[in-house]
Amino acid sequence: MKKNILCMSQKYGWTKKSYDGNIFWFKGYILDATVDSVIKSASLCLSRLGKNRDSLSSFISSIRGHFSFIIYNGNALIAVVDKVATIPLFYAEDSSNIVIGSNATAVKDIAPEGNFSLDMSSILEISMSGYTVGNKTLYKQMKQIVAGEYIYVCNGCIHKQYYHTYSPWKVNAISNVSLKSELTNVLTDVMDKLASSIKGKDIIVPLSAGYDSRAVVSGLKHVGVENILCVSYGRKDSFEVLAAKNIASRLGYDFKHIDYNGSYIRRQNSSYKYNKFKNDFDRHSSVEFVQDMPFISLMHKTNELSNNSVIINGMSGDYISGSHILRAFSKFAHNANYPRDYDDKMFNIAIMEYLDKHYNLWGFLSDNNNKNKIIYNLLELLKDRNLNYKNIDNMHSVFEFFEFYGRQSKFVLKGQEVYDYYGCDWRLPLWDPVFVDFWQKVPIDYKYSQKLYKDVLVENNWGGVWDNIPLNEKTIRPKWIKPIRLASKILLSPLGRKKWHQFEKNFLEYWMDDSYNSKRYPYSRYVFDYKEHKNVISFRVEDYIQNHTDIGIDTLTI
């Protein structure tokens, strides 16, 4: 029988407990129960392992919060991640051992037989998007437990089970008035539960001019939470920063702008601390998401963070509420029904738009051969959950499904690891399972362009910050680049839109980036790029693949 090897340590929020002869590892937070009650229920499930999977799935699905846990005794083990995989777990298997742990590098290194071989499909997926499809990692022998999944080990065998599948095709025919009322109640419940879970903590909210972080702070104000520090970062005269300051003032919350520049970003990118972060949180299945790292590192340096700090961001209210529904479906925003014989044509149109949006970090990689490989793997992702797009009404939801299990759970939510690294607690109210479940049933005509979400936030006007503080206005900074941008646009217009946009990416966006994240790489890298990079993440991906595999992305075309 294979031996189970746990590769765990009490770092970055992981805790270890014993109960009834079992070892229990836990990380995260639970909103409507206690960790002790989860331990008891998990211990009972472990004692009945293999006899009633439905009761185990039902128990895990009922937990409200963001978490991962492992419960273990000798030959039996259950390993669980939450419905969006905010806290990852990995496993590998050889002829005599099963290795499971929270650190992908450690799992790979401890696997006794070693000899891990590269998965070329994973390398292509990361190169094109920044993350793998499904449970794959860079190595064929190592897998990641994916959103809504658990594995259990019994008698030396690994069994995997999905206990939750995000299903935004389960639409209900509900009136706009009823949906508005229900969303208001859901948001109130989410904020009430959030407020209870952060009582007594030092609350920090990264605040911008958009809907999501504004929804968080105004929602907390609505349920009576005081003493919040709102922070902004990046270019101090940007629209985002000025709006955030105005919102915080209106709500009566403290506000601080975390000031840094491109030089700080460049120094951080080559620092020991940043490289340690990359190593300690390397999933071998996606690149790092470091949007908040500059301001968090500076607050840590000035002792403005402690182990009592809790960071609450607005991820990913825009996606959940419909902002990312593909333009291909705009014609159905008032009528989601179309002839079923149109399915294949509609899918082909939409999948091309989806690939251009999410699998286009390097333009030169977007040839038909590579696109077909990605499409095949995405369809396999559906098949793995016994789904077929031809049997799903409301086809826009298929692409919401792809993004849920791709960019959101694999990349965007990886941003929480920055908070873990600096010893802070965190919450994700707009990924609360109650909020997510609500949006599964909303029809496209209320979901497209976030119509319902925006209407409810503006009409409720919690905290008085929704009626006359502008939202998401695009401004171009610094001022000196405006005439250069206009002149180059006029000069290049005869060459077509694509040429102009690539010129803007190569020569101008470096200076226009309000967050300064583009400064992680030298300007020359942008100027002399001929492979059609999309953004700063393109270079991060190129370096990641080169450093992990010694493979240049140039070789990934026919």
Side-chain angles (χ1 to χ4, degrees), residues 43 80 116 128 180 189 253 266 339 414 484 532 539:
S43 294
V80 179
F116 276 40
M128 293 180 71
K180 284 182 176 181
D189 178 57
Y253 290 150
R266 281 192 292 275
K414 200 176 186 304
I484 297 173
E532 299 177 63
F539 298 118

Side-chain angles (χ1 to χ4, degrees), residues 255-300:
F255 176 82
K256 180 169 185 175
H257 176 67
I258 310 300
D259 199 19
Y260 56 83
N261 55 28
S263 296
Y264 177 77
I265 296 291
R266 281 192 292 275
R267 290 196 305 273
Q268 183 184 76
N269 206 48
S270 58
S271 68
Y272 167 79
K273 281 198 169 183
Y274 180 58
N275 284 294
K276 179 172 170 52
F277 166 77
K278 290 195 295 183
N279 291 333
D280 287 359
F281 290 92
D282 190 352
R283 298 187 183 187
H284 296 271
S285 57
S286 56
V287 295
E288 61 274 11
F289 186 93
V290 291
Q291 176 176 299
D292 286 356
M293 177 163 266
F295 94 83
I296 289 291
S297 63
L298 280 170
M299 291 187 75
H300 181 266

Side-chain angles (χ1 to χ4, degrees), residues 67-132:
F67 57 87
S68 287
F69 68 79
I70 296 174
I71 188 164
Y72 166 76
N73 72 2
N75 294 322
L77 178 149
I78 301 171
V80 179
V81 301
D82 64 37
K83 294 175 183 178
V84 285
T86 51
I87 301 163
L89 289 171
F90 308 88
Y91 60 98
E93 183 178 16
D94 60 29
S95 61
S96 54
N97 299 280
I98 295 170
V99 184
I100 299 175
S102 59
N103 183 294
T105 302
V107 168
K108 173 182 175 291
D109 291 346
I110 206 170
E113 291 184 4
N115 299 321
F116 276 40
S117 55
L118 292 170
D119 186 328
M120 292 306 297
S121 68
S122 295
I123 292 171
L124 178 65
E125 290 159 6
I126 293 175
S127 298
M128 293 180 71
S129 69
Y131 46 85
T132 60

Side-chain angles (χ1 to χ4, degrees), residues 492 494-506:
L492 291 169
L495 300 178
R497 195 169 190 158
K498 185 177 179 181
K499 288 288 186 183
W500 150 246
H501 281 305
Q502 198 58 50
F503 175 87
E504 188 177 36
K505 289 178 187 299
N506 282 58

